[in-house]
Structures are given as C-alpha cells and as structure tokens.
Amino acid sequence: AALVRRGGLVGGRWVETAAAFPVQDPASGEELGRVSDCGPAEARAAVRAAHEAGAAWGRLPAKERSVRLRRWYELMIENKEELARIITAENGKPLKEAQGEIVYSASFLEWFAEEARRIYGDVIPASAKDRRILVLKQPVGVAAIITPWNFPSAMITRKVGAALAAGCTVVVKPAEDTPLSALALGELANQAEIPAGVYNVVPCSRQQTAAVGEVLCTDPLVSKISFTGSTATGKILLKHAAGTVKRVSMELGGHAPFIVFDSANVDRAVAGALASKYRNSGQTCVCTNRFLVQKGIHDEFVEKFAKAIEKELHVGNGFDAKTTQGPLINEKAVEKVEKHIKDAVSQGASVVTGGKRHSLGKNFFEPTLLSNVTTKMLCTQEETFGPLAPVIKFETEAEAVTIANAADVGLAGYFYSQDPAQIWRVAEQLEVGMVGVNEGIISSVECPFGGVKQSGLGREGSKYGIDEYLEIKYVCLGGL
C-alpha cells in the first residue's frame, strides 16, 4: 500500500484529475482502484516539466546521475515484494514471475547507472595540421516513453534507465491496464531524489490514449519517442513523429519461430519450449508463436511436450503459490486464442491438450498444444499472444528456415540442434534480431534487445541501449 499512487506525476508532484478510470484484477474482474485519467493538457504539462528539468539534469556530472540511478535501483530491491504484488494484482502473472520481473527491471537501473559514466566521445586525427576534430555525445532531450501491460515495470526501466543515464528527461505513458507499476516507480524515484520533472508519468484510460499519444509524438519539445507494443500502433506513432522528425525506438510485434531439428536433445528442447511459450501465459513479445519440428523426432517431441504441459503447468490466481499460468489480461485476449484454435481445427489441426477456457473464470485459458498444423492457419500467420503452441512438421533445414523467415516481423527466434555446422548456418540465416540456440529464455540486461523487419527500430539494454538517447556532435577546432 505504501507505493500505490492514484494520480499522475508531473514535475515531481502528484496530480489528480477530475475524471478517473478503473484498474481491474484480470483474475477476478474486481476493481483494484481508480487512477487519474490524464488527458492532452496533463501530457503537455508533463512535457514542459521534463523540458524545464532537462538542462540541469543533462549538465549534472555523470557520476551524480549514476548515484541517483543506483539509489533508485536499491529502493526497487528493498521494495521488491510490494512491487511484485502490484504487478500480480494488475497484470495477473504469477507472483514468482512478478518477483523475477522486479529483479530484472531493477537491473536496468543498475546497469545504466554504471553506463552513465562510460559515455565516451572521440578525438579523430585531422587532415590538416592546424585543426583538431572532436566528437561529443550529448542527450537528445525530452523522451516520450510509451509502454505495454505485459511487463509493466521492466519495459519502463529498460527505457528510462538508458534515457536518464544519457542525461535525458522522460514522460512515461503506461498501458491503461497496468498504470500502478509506473506510478510506484515514480514514488521510488522521488525517494531516490531523482529531481522533479526528470521522471513524469501520465496514466490515462483507453479513451484518452490516442489523444495523449498524439501529444507526446507531436509536441516540438519532445525529441525522442520510445515505444513497445503492436506493429500497427507503432506505425501510427511513426507517422506522428515524422512531422517533427523525432528520434524513434520501436520494439514492435513478434512471431517467434522455435525450430527443433532431428539432431536436437529432445528433452532439453521440450524444457526450452515450455519456458519460451508459456512464460506470462504466452503474453510476451519474444515468446514462441510457431513450433517447427523435424519429421524424425516430431512425434517424440509432441508426446513429451504434451506430458510436460500437463505435469508442469498449473492455472490459477497469480497469488497462489502453485500457479504457473495466471489469467490473460482481458477477455479480448482470450477470444483471440479461441479464434486461432477454432480456425486451426477447422482446417485439420488436432488438439493434443487443452483447447478451451479454464473453469476458473473468463480470463483463464488452458495451456494448449496443437499438432497437424499448417502455414495456412491463423495461428501461424499472426501473433496469438496467449497460451497456444501450434506444431508444424517439416522435412529439411531449408524448409524450416523458409517458413521461419516468411513473416514480415522478426524479433526473436529459437532453435535446437547439436550439429555445429547447422548451428552456424541457421543462426546466421534467421531473419530476427535475437536468436536463442538451445535456449528458450534469452533476455538479459547485458544483451541488445530489438528486432528487424517490422519488429522495430533500435536496441534496448546492453551498452548499445544508451546510444538511442544520445546525439553525436562533431566539433572542428581550427586555427591551431
């Protein structure tokens, strides 16, 4: 309760609005509370506050920014349990997963606190003896941060940690389903003595989202937009940003393939498949959306995968210690899973296990495995974002790579093989930004996160993530 806030955070102050919108528990449907419904006026005020705070924050020595970020990280770890409970309450994911998210989330503040002191420029040898050439890296300015509901804490710190380390200030617009996590981070930012106006939050309802998003993408005081969400929404934001030629980072939709070759260790592949597909009930942008299994081991893999699903996965309320599969975020998400299963079965797919809503409630769905799946089915053509694992049988390596690369998106991809030559070939040929080889979980703070094709622009995390918030300035010193 100490970290639950209901108002927006603008210029270091909590702002209440005349209207408020409900935040609901996806497990029960009950209202957790109401949060201020910020609109364009609050968004513009937050941008101005960020702009006014920017000069002083950007001029602070890197070490001082580092110390503040480090303190924010420490406060997150100290309050890990409460932050995790907020995530489980508003998002539904199992408490153990939520605790893992908080540790992961905090690690970005720790990482970028360290990277703040490593923003190095260059001295370039000049072509004339009376000149010197310098390259400086400077903060881009105010960054608008627009985040999704599936990782309501980590998607913020992965962006904000880099921005603040670079000397930028931010305005965060969290998803309407999960604003409490963003506001809790704001409370801890204040406790960490992050200066007023450096971290601002404008929560809003679904009805206000388009208008607030447009303000953040068109206001001339905003220099940078970082968005995680659907490809369709990303394209809209890119159009808005084009008017003032803003810097953009886009982490958009995925459609991850998971290829299991005949040479694979099947038991390890099953364990990796379980982790990759069913984390957060399949509601992650890098979770597997299509399984491609080679003919020689197909039947063995499907049989063992089905047994693992039935034995290891337990559907329930996220606060129940036994739960590994919480509810989906809302009924619309459940309906999409149902639609994909119905379409696949109508075209000849077989339900191996699961296949229907769970008896616990309208947002719960059984972990589902389909076999006899083809590339003509909806579940292999678009992202499901739910606990559905469709398996396609293939014969040759070339066939698998062709199917995997047929998508117009390319965020993550996975494959299992014990053939060294095949590992090199396939890793290089997969058209994705991130590849897991004999590994189903690949995200970490040290690694560059991002995609190719219509999965986005730019990278987050790692030493490369801070570059997204820096401008390169060339300085020529003459007359020497």
Side-chain angles (χ1 to χ4, degrees):
L3 297 182
V4 174
R5 292 290 177 268
R6 309 291 187 187
L9 180 59
V10 177
R13 296 184 178 183
W14 296 105
V15 175
E16 301 288 342
T17 57
F21 67 97
V23 179
Q24 294 178 319
D25 175 358
S28 66
E30 294 179 1
E31 186 175 303
L32 298 171
R34 301 181 75 83
V35 171
S36 290
D37 194 2
C38 295
E42 289 78 18
R44 283 190 287 268
V47 169
R48 287 195 299 273
H51 178 71
E52 290 167 2
W57 178 251
R59 284 197 302 265
L60 274 182
K63 183 177 180 180
E64 290 191 32
R65 293 199 300 273
S66 175
V67 167
R68 307 285 177 89
L69 283 170
R70 177 77 192 188
R71 181 56 186 147
W72 198 5
Y73 155 76
E74 291 168 349
L75 286 169
M76 284 194 70
I77 296 301
E78 290 171 15
N79 291 274
K80 181 180 75 171
E81 295 304 319
E82 184 173 352
L83 291 169
R85 293 182 71 83
I86 290 172
I87 288 178
T88 296
E90 65 178 350
N91 168 279
K93 69 175 59 176
L95 186 59
K96 186 176 180 179
E97 280 193 30
Q99 291 165 342
E101 179 180 344
I102 292 303
V103 173
Y104 179 56
S105 176
S107 72
F108 285 105
L109 298 182
E110 179 187 37
W111 174 268
F112 286 114
E114 296 163 353
E115 288 298 295
R117 302 178 68 179
R118 300 188 181 99
I119 301 174
Y120 302 135
D122 284 302
V123 178
I124 299 174
S127 57
K129 63 182 180 181
D130 63 343
R131 293 182 181 180
R132 298 294 182 270
I133 296 173
L134 307 179
V135 175
L136 309 179
K137 292 185 178 180
Q138 297 179 319
V140 298
V142 176
I145 307 295
I146 304 174
T147 58
W149 50 263
N150 58 337
F151 286 88
S153 181
M155 295 301 95
I156 292 174
T157 58
R158 190 162 70 188
K159 300 172 188 294
V160 170
L164 268 58
C168 298
T169 55
V170 301
V171 178
V172 176
K173 193 211 83 64
E176 59 272 13
D177 295 296
T178 56
L180 298 177
S181 292
L183 297 171
L185 289 176
E187 172 60 27
L188 293 181
N190 285 348
Q191 293 181 24
E193 298 184 348
I194 302 293
V198 171
Y199 178 85
N200 304 274
V201 186
V202 283
C204 65
S205 64
R206 187 170 277 103
Q207 291 72 27
Q208 292 271 37
T209 290
V212 169
E214 184 172 351
V215 168
L216 296 180
C217 292
T218 59
D219 193 306
L221 295 181
V222 175
S223 301
K224 159 82 181 183
I225 300 164
S226 182
F227 169 72
T228 295
S230 71
T231 298
T233 302
K235 290 177 179 179
I236 294 171
L237 299 182
L238 281 168
K239 288 179 181 178
H240 285 317
T244 47
V245 195
K246 299 187 191 304
R247 288 274 296 274
V248 294
S249 297
M250 295 277 156
E251 194 254 287
L252 307 177
H255 190 36
F258 189 111
I259 308 171
V260 187
F261 291 104
D262 281 344
S263 68
N265 179 315
V266 175
D267 291 332
R268 292 188 63 181
V270 166
L274 203 67
S276 174
K277 173 69 256 185
Y278 293 107
R279 185 165 61 109
N280 198 20
S281 300
Q283 300 173 114
T284 86
C285 51
V286 294
C287 77
T288 298
N289 206 64
R290 322 167 265 164
F291 287 89
L292 313 176
V293 184
Q294 199 159 12
K295 183 178 179 181
I297 51 117
H298 174 275
D299 293 350
E300 180 187 0
F301 176 85
V302 170
E303 181 183 353
K304 289 185 173 180
F305 195 15
K307 289 180 179 177
I309 290 169
E310 293 165 358
K311 179 182 178 183
E312 302 292 337
L313 302 184
H314 304 281
V315 179
N317 188 296
F319 287 108
D320 187 332
K322 296 183 297 184
T323 296
T324 65
Q325 303 288 286
L328 300 192
I329 190 65
N330 52 40
E331 191 166 14
K332 184 178 179 182
V334 174
E335 290 170 354
K336 187 174 186 181
V337 178
E338 286 182 321
K339 177 183 176 182
H340 281 191
I341 294 172
K342 182 179 179 181
D343 170 79
V345 171
S346 73
Q347 296 187 60
S350 302
V351 177
V352 182
T353 188
K356 61 184 184 297
R357 296 192 187 210
H358 197 278
S359 59
L360 279 173
K362 66 179 183 179
N363 290 343
F364 290 90
F365 204 91
E366 295 176 345
T368 301
L369 175 63
L370 299 180
S371 64
N372 300 319
V373 173
T374 71
T375 57
K376 295 182 179 180
M377 298 173 183
L378 274 179
C379 59
T380 63
Q381 294 177 353
E382 60 185 39
E383 191 174 28
T384 303
F385 229 65
L388 171 60
V391 178
I392 301 170
K393 184 189 294 186
F394 72 90
E395 295 192 6
T396 67
E397 177 186 309
E399 179 188 0
V401 171
T402 298
I403 293 172
N405 289 342
D408 58 7
V409 292
L411 190 57
Y414 310 86
F415 70 91
Y416 276 69
S417 170
Q418 295 185 98
D419 179 343
Q422 184 175 62
I423 287 172
W424 278 109
R425 288 194 305 269
V426 176
E428 291 176 349
Q429 290 175 39
L430 284 180
E431 295 172 357
V432 296
M434 300 171 285
V435 180
V437 183
N438 297 321
E439 182 57 65
I441 301 292
I442 59 174
S443 300
S444 70
V445 67
E446 299 86 358
C447 304
F449 191 102
V452 299
K453 299 196 279 191
Q454 293 187 36
S455 279
L457 304 165
R459 292 296 181 268
E460 295 182 337
S462 79
K463 68 176 184 179
Y464 304 104
I466 202 166
D467 290 339
E468 301 289 336
Y469 298 89
L470 293 167
E471 296 284 14
I472 293 177
K473 178 183 285 185
Y474 153 51
V475 179
C476 179
L477 302 178
L480 301 179

